[in-house]
Amino acid sequence: MSLRFRNADLRPVLAEALANKCRVILVKDEGVYWLSEHGERLPNGHQKLLAYAVGCNPNVDSVEDWYELARNELGGDDFAEYFDMQERIMRQILDSNDDLKLVATATKLTLTVIAPESERS
């Protein structure tokens, strides 16, 4: 099993992190999403740009669905994991239309670039 992050959602977050010369953060709490370590804030203090995993966005997916998917894929605990923008995979996402696939085991997170859903056969 895995989680997918669409390029159209993820690219603005990565571009913001690159512009701010900071890391990106993978977060599991109210959904599963990426955000820039230093990014533009909304008036309520929340980060403006978030890239949610497909099926794990509490703004569009039912709480039962996103919570169960997030728990099945990443376990029950909330977390934040930091990634350097200098990692090759982050640049690949910025320079392509490819999506990002996240696979988690008990000890490891694996990120891979995959073709967008519309291009899959």
Side-chain angles (χ1 to χ4, degrees):
M1 298 273 307
S2 63
L3 293 175
R4 173 185 290 270
F5 295 86
R6 291 188 182 108
N7 185 289
D9 298 328
L10 188 53
R11 188 183 294 181
V13 170
L14 298 179
E16 181 177 54
L18 191 61
N20 291 327
K21 298 179 173 92
C22 63
R23 299 175 291 181
V24 287
I25 310 167
L26 174 66
V27 178
K28 179 192 173 274
D29 57 15
E30 289 291 317
V32 179
Y33 56 92
W34 290 91
L35 73 155
S36 175
E37 184 176 25
H38 303 290
E40 186 178 350
R41 300 274 175 180
L42 297 170
N44 65 8
H46 293 148
Q47 192 100 2
K48 182 176 180 180
L49 292 177
L50 302 176
Y52 284 95
V54 174
C56 291
N57 183 341
N59 299 315
V60 295
D61 302 307
S62 75
V63 68
E64 296 85 10
D65 291 341
W66 75 255
Y67 181 83
E68 197 63 27
L69 178 57
R71 188 177 65 74
N72 286 340
E73 294 301 320
L74 300 172
D77 294 335
D78 292 351
F79 68 84
E81 187 72 30
Y82 291 74
F83 291 83
D84 193 309
M85 279 303 299
Q86 300 308 311
E87 291 188 37
R88 188 178 62 152
I89 197 160
M90 300 305 175
R91 296 300 185 129
Q92 285 180 276
I93 296 297
L94 276 172
D95 295 337
S96 73
N97 290 321
D98 292 331
D99 292 344
L100 182 69
K101 177 179 167 183
L102 169 68
V103 177
T105 67
T107 59
K108 183 176 170 183
L109 294 174
T110 302
L111 303 173
T112 54
V113 173
I114 55 174
E117 289 177 308
S118 61
E119 295 180 14
R120 290 175 40 210
S121 49

